[in-house]
Amino acid sequence: MCLFFLLIYIFFSFDVFICNVYFLSLLCVFLYLSVVFLCIFLYKYCFCWHCSYLPSTAVNTTIRLQELREHMLPMNISAYIIPGTDAHLSEYIAPRDARVAFMTGFTGSAGSVVVTQTKASLWTDSRYWVQAERQMDCNWDLETDFSIGSVAEWLIAEVPPGGEIGFDPFLFSLSDLNLEFSNRSLRSIPINLVDRVWKDRPSIRPDSLTQRSWQIKVDDIRTQMKEDLYEPTALLLSALDESACIHRQDKNQVTILPGWSKQSFFQHPTHEHQRLWTTDEKDCARCSSKSHTHWCLSGLFNMRGNDIPYNPFFYSYTLLTMDEIWLFVHMNRVTDDLKEYLNASCDGALCVQLKSYDSVLDHVKQYVATPGVKVWIGTEYTNYALYEIITPQDKLMTSTYSPVLMAKAVKDETEQRILRDAHIRDAVAVVQLLMWLEKVVPNGKETELSAAEYKDNRGPSFETISASGPNAALAHYSPTNDTSRKLTVDEMYLVDSGGQYLDGTTDITRTVHWGNPTALQKEAFTRVLMGNIEISRTIFPTGTRGVNMEMLGRRALWELGLNYGHGTGHGVGNYFGVHEWPVGFQSNNIPFRAGMFTSIEPGFYKENDFGIRIEDVVVIVPVDTKYGHNYLTFDTVSLVPYDRKLIDTSLLSSEQLQWLNRYYETIRRLLVPELDSQGLHEEKKWVLTNTEPFIHSGSSATTTFSRDTCH
């Protein structure tokens, strides 16, 4: 600044400089650079130093970053990677495993973080870019290329040659670490450094566990092991829904857990119901089945827990051999009744040996040291910490997914029937919500949060996405007291919700407008609907992969240069996870077979304006064709009509219109009797009105009325 005033003095003191164009130019450049550096100085040291200035939606992370870096120094690592998962590589995680959220303030369900001594970056996909910008403070950079290659390139640029990159091996799968760092090395650090910084990290409640017959399922797994060509001697299960669902039920029965209050259990997942359950077979409700032995709803040990919000899972590992079973759990949650149920006091082939959750590494090491053993793992859900101790390689047998996950991906006749029934009951709840909103939104008193709470009274399978206007442009936004907006007739509204029922898990999204939608909103909605219909009506050979037909959901949008940044669908469980792998439309999902359930959910999101998503759950069923055999198609089990006001029928082909009318006939056939049985006459009238058949006329959703269909 002193130099600046000196130049001004010289300029006005000597006439020779007045006409010096070169000096004037130099002065202008100097002034410009001074302003730029001043702005940078103010931003960094006044607004961002220790993040003394923060937007209301962001979290100050300066101290926690500083402490993490202090822990990195004695480790002599140049960078530390923090993924957004848990030791079981789960998609949905417990609050105590939300390390990315703790470090960054970002609460989206997909994200990875890398921290060096000078930089901190978050990678997430396009669903969460706006949310991340709102929630992160100035300590963090947002990286929008959400790929392993992008993280690797960043590390190569930021980590000097010869540098080490630290990671927690419990939080990475084998494929996550398949990176080449060009003279940079990965270093496994079993003690998580974030946990050292996280002083008030939530703990696991010391509650009890609960029961049901499981021996038949164990025998079935052992039969598969005996028949396998590679002759594994043990199966190691890491995913939380594997230990919860290994064993099969009796050939003629599927057992459903009775007596649970889904409202109290799922409304308050951190309260007194946090324990593990089992249910005595004599207390179970049974449904007859004509099918073969099938994978039951409940699990290897028929046990349920509540460690993961909205999901009936508990922290555990299982090691199953031909003559022994080890279950690794938190021992302070085990009751005497549970020990008796699991035959934990004996040493036979059907006696479960209970071990401390934290002892799994030592126990697997001990087993692998035994001559002649071979451990079978599924690579997608086995963490690197377990993988790296199974040595040498001839003691390891791998498949992408474990036989447990592969088997439960296909539902048998009974499971299909009861999951369909759950969707009928769920449709009643969604219809009641939409009808209620139609009545009350014009009054101007309801908010995104009140709508979500109205819907969640039956026990959600995930946190309800209730979003209006610009918030709906955030694909996975959920309202809070700070962010909830009032619902108005002038904006679009998106609600993505699901329920946990004793016979099934549901997931459905509807987008509506209570006023006059714009031309863009109407066309975008119609083209999203076209994508949903095109996938739903597709006929394809058995064994087709979802990724090979996923573009059908996008084609109508692509024609306008529009797209969406999330996946097109995921598997759905029978009273399990709402996102059940390995079924879906992604490249690492397994080929489709009859009996699989998946969602179909194309969308479109205009930043800071509106969002559209149409999501239905479908079951894959055989279809007759003129010449070929072994062909499949999708049968939609979600039963809620789409917003007629947003459908431009002039854009629909005759085949798409026929599909839509047949779907509405199905809604009437299956949903109306349920409404009658519950005495919901007003809801029945609403459904009949909103499922009138369409005719292809002009640009509006024209309705034709028929006496035969209005009953």
Side-chain angles (χ1 to χ4, degrees):
M1 295 303 291
C2 294
L3 179 60
F4 169 72
F5 287 115
L6 178 61
L7 289 172
I8 294 295
Y9 173 77
I10 294 173
F11 177 75
F12 287 107
S13 299
F14 299 96
D15 293 340
V16 67
F17 289 115
I18 296 177
C19 297
N20 192 328
V21 176
Y22 174 77
F23 181 80
L24 286 172
S25 300
L26 183 64
L27 180 62
C28 290
V29 171
F30 187 82
L31 285 169
Y32 173 76
L33 291 176
S34 299
V35 172
V36 170
F37 283 118
L38 180 62
C39 291
I40 293 174
F41 176 84
L42 289 173
Y43 175 76
K44 182 173 182 180
Y45 293 99
C46 296
F47 292 101
C48 215
W49 182 248
H50 293 304
C51 286
S52 57
Y53 170 78
L54 289 170
S56 60
T57 55
V59 175
N60 190 329
T61 65
T62 300
I63 295 177
R64 58 193 67 173
L65 262 176
Q66 178 183 337
E67 292 178 350
L68 177 64
R69 286 166 172 153
E70 289 173 356
H71 284 293
M72 291 168 58
L73 284 173
M75 298 282 185
N76 197 28
I77 55 176
S78 301
Y80 189 66
I81 309 175
I82 308 168
T85 187
D86 61 17
H88 305 274
L89 309 181
S90 308
E91 177 184 3
Y92 291 100
I93 58 177
R96 70 189 315 268
D97 293 311
R99 298 178 178 90
V100 169
F102 170 75
M103 288 303 306
T104 68
F106 168 66
T107 59
S109 65
S112 296
V113 161
V114 180
V115 176
T116 69
Q117 288 298 328
T118 58
K119 288 191 175 182
S121 291
L122 167 79
W123 282 258
T124 189
D125 61 61
S126 61
R127 294 174 297 169
Y128 297 114
W129 291 345
V130 175
Q131 179 180 341
E133 293 283 9
R134 291 181 182 180
Q135 293 183 321
M136 294 193 305
D137 66 12
C138 51
N139 287 303
W140 294 90
D141 296 324
L142 174 63
E143 305 290 337
T144 56
D145 183 355
F146 190 51
S147 66
I148 292 179
S150 172
V151 178
E153 292 173 4
W154 190 95
L155 286 166
I156 291 172
E158 298 298 330
V159 175
E164 289 190 322
I165 300 159
F167 70 96
D168 181 345
F170 285 96
L171 304 183
F172 287 83
S173 70
L174 281 60
S175 59
D176 291 334
L177 296 172
N178 186 23
L179 303 173
E180 294 294 334
F181 282 117
S182 180
N183 198 25
R184 285 87 172 163
S185 59
L186 288 166
R187 182 169 159 200
S188 174
I189 304 174
I191 300 175
N192 192 283
L193 300 187
V194 175
D195 294 351
R196 290 186 169 185
V197 175
W198 197 351
K199 302 298 190 299
D200 57 348
R201 183 186 177 210
S203 60
I204 299 175
R205 294 173 60 88
D207 298 312
S208 59
L209 324 178
T210 335
Q211 58 217 38
R212 213 167 64 201
S213 173
W214 48 268
Q215 289 84 346
I216 295 175
K217 297 183 181 181
V218 169
D219 288 339
D220 186 77
I221 286 287
R222 286 171 170 158
T223 298
Q224 291 190 56
M225 292 166 61
K226 289 178 183 177
E227 295 174 351
D228 193 277
L229 179 65
Y230 296 97
E231 300 179 343
T233 62
L235 176 65
L236 178 60
L237 301 177
S238 297
L240 297 183
D241 56 345
E242 290 178 318
S243 287
C245 63
I246 258 195
H247 61 289
R248 294 176 183 250
Q249 278 291 61
D250 182 271
K251 293 184 178 181
N252 298 315
Q253 299 173 351
V254 57
T255 305
I256 306 169
L257 289 172
W260 285 38
S261 169
K262 57 182 179 292
Q263 179 174 346
S264 62
F265 179 75
F266 288 97
Q267 278 291 90
H268 308 288
T270 60
H271 290 181
E272 68 274 14
H273 297 286
Q274 187 174 13
R275 63 183 192 274
L276 303 188
W277 292 268
T278 61
T279 301
D280 193 310
E281 188 170 349
K282 66 183 180 181
D283 294 328
C284 293
R286 297 178 177 85
C287 306
S288 62
S289 171
K290 298 179 181 179
S291 62
H292 59 280
T293 303
H294 61 277
W295 291 83
C296 180
L297 306 178
S298 52
L300 168 54
F301 303 111
N302 283 335
M303 293 164 59
R304 299 295 182 119
N306 196 20
D307 288 338
I308 309 301
Y310 310 110
N311 292 267
F313 304 147
F314 60 95
Y315 290 120
S316 63
Y317 296 98
T318 299
L319 183 63
L320 172 67
T321 72
M322 292 300 180
D323 50 15
E324 291 184 281
I325 311 168
W326 294 280
L327 175 63
F328 301 88
V329 294
H330 293 280
M331 295 298 293
N332 58 351
R333 312 171 79 184
V334 178
T335 65
D336 291 338
D337 288 341
L338 185 64
K339 291 178 182 178
E340 181 180 353
Y341 164 74
L342 293 173
N343 299 329
S345 59
C346 61
D347 297 322
L350 292 175
C351 300
V352 178
Q353 306 303 312
L354 296 173
K355 300 292 182 179
S356 168
Y357 177 81
D358 295 325
S359 69
V360 62
L361 281 183
D362 292 338
H363 196 88
V364 173
K365 281 182 183 178
Q366 181 181 348
Y367 178 79
V368 171
T370 306
V373 301
K374 181 177 290 186
V375 181
W376 186 359
I377 65 170
T379 57
E380 283 292 319
Y381 286 97
T382 300
N383 62 53
Y384 192 79
L386 290 169
Y387 166 77
E388 67 180 348
I389 63 173
I390 304 175
T391 56
Q393 284 292 308
D394 61 1
K395 292 195 173 187
L396 179 69
M397 171 182 159
T398 64
S399 56
T400 304
Y401 299 102
S402 76
V404 175
L405 292 183
M406 292 293 289
K408 76 182 182 67
V410 179
K411 317 303 183 195
D412 72 7
E413 292 178 5
T414 298
E415 291 168 319
Q416 291 180 43
R417 174 174 56 79
I418 61 178
L419 191 47
R420 286 176 181 270
D421 290 344
H423 279 82
I424 293 175
R425 297 194 303 278
D426 191 69
V428 174
V430 179
V431 165
Q432 289 177 315
L433 170 70
L434 295 178
M435 194 176 75
W436 174 71
L437 288 173
E438 280 186 8
K439 294 179 181 178
V440 300
V441 167
N443 298 330
K445 296 181 180 180
E446 300 305 325
T447 67
E448 295 169 334
L449 197 57
S450 64
E453 291 170 347
Y454 183 95
K455 184 66 165 52
D456 284 354
N457 63 4
R458 81 230 192 276
S461 56
F462 57 94
E463 186 175 12
T464 296
I465 298 169
S466 174
S468 66
N471 284 344
L474 307 176
H476 276 201
Y477 162 88
S478 291
T480 66
N481 289 326
D482 295 328
T483 64
S484 181
R485 303 175 72 250
K486 273 193 175 183
L487 303 181
T488 76
V489 297
D490 301 319
E491 294 180 329
M492 299 189 81
Y493 173 71
L494 182 155
V495 56
D496 183 348
S497 68
Q500 285 285 17
Y501 301 89
L502 296 182
D503 48 355
T505 301
T506 66
D507 188 3
I508 185 172
T509 307
R510 289 295 182 261
T511 305
V512 298
H513 198 301
W514 298 293
N516 298 312
T518 66
L520 173 60
Q521 290 172 337
K522 191 169 183 177
E523 180 167 17
F525 180 93
T526 303
R527 289 184 177 273
V528 170
L529 177 60
M530 291 164 67
N532 185 300
I533 293 174
E534 279 304 289
I535 295 179
S536 300
R537 61 184 291 268
T538 297
I539 295 174
F540 54 92
T542 298
T544 300
R545 290 183 175 272
V547 68
N548 294 332
M549 66 177 74
E550 195 257 6
M551 58 83 59
L552 296 175
R554 302 177 186 268
R555 184 171 59 185
L557 289 166
W558 286 353
E559 292 172 354
L560 295 185
L562 306 178
N563 204 353
Y564 54 93
H566 55 73
T568 299
H570 55 80
V572 179
N574 272 88
Y575 190 30
F576 259 1
V578 70
H579 288 185
E580 184 174 87
W581 284 73
V583 177
F585 290 87
Q586 299 187 40
S587 58
N588 56 348
N589 291 142
I590 61 177
F592 284 141
R593 290 173 51 195
M596 292 180 173
F597 281 74
T598 182
S599 69
I600 299 175
E601 48 183 297
F604 172 70
Y605 310 89
K606 189 173 187 300
E607 187 174 336
N608 295 322
D609 195 350
F610 65 88
I612 298 167
R613 185 162 61 253
I614 300 173
E615 177 184 18
D616 293 309
V617 172
V618 299
V619 58
I620 300 169
V621 296
V623 63
D624 293 328
T625 60
K626 186 174 182 179
Y627 298 111
H629 301 286
N630 297 321
Y631 279 76
L632 306 170
T633 191
F634 299 105
D635 186 16
T636 304
V637 301
S638 300
L639 298 171
V640 178
Y642 313 117
D643 188 351
R644 305 179 75 87
K645 187 179 295 185
L646 290 167
I647 302 175
D648 182 351
T649 55
S650 69
L651 298 175
L652 300 180
S653 68
S654 58
E655 293 82 5
Q656 291 167 346
L657 204 60
Q658 290 172 11
W659 183 95
L660 185 56
N661 284 334
R662 286 197 300 271
Y663 173 55
Y664 278 8
E665 290 173 1
T666 300
I667 292 177
R668 290 184 167 206
R669 176 170 53 85
L670 297 178
L671 186 56
V672 168
E674 178 67 21
L675 296 172
D676 282 335
S677 69
Q678 296 188 32
L680 300 174
H681 306 299
E682 191 174 359
E683 286 81 355
K684 173 183 176 180
K685 181 179 179 181
W686 186 93
V687 168
L688 292 176
T689 299
N690 285 276
T691 56
E692 288 291 346
F694 293 98
I695 60 173
H696 204 294
S697 175
S699 62
S700 61
T702 307
T703 299
T704 178
F705 292 91
S706 168
R707 291 180 181 272
D708 295 334
T709 56
C710 293
H711 54 80

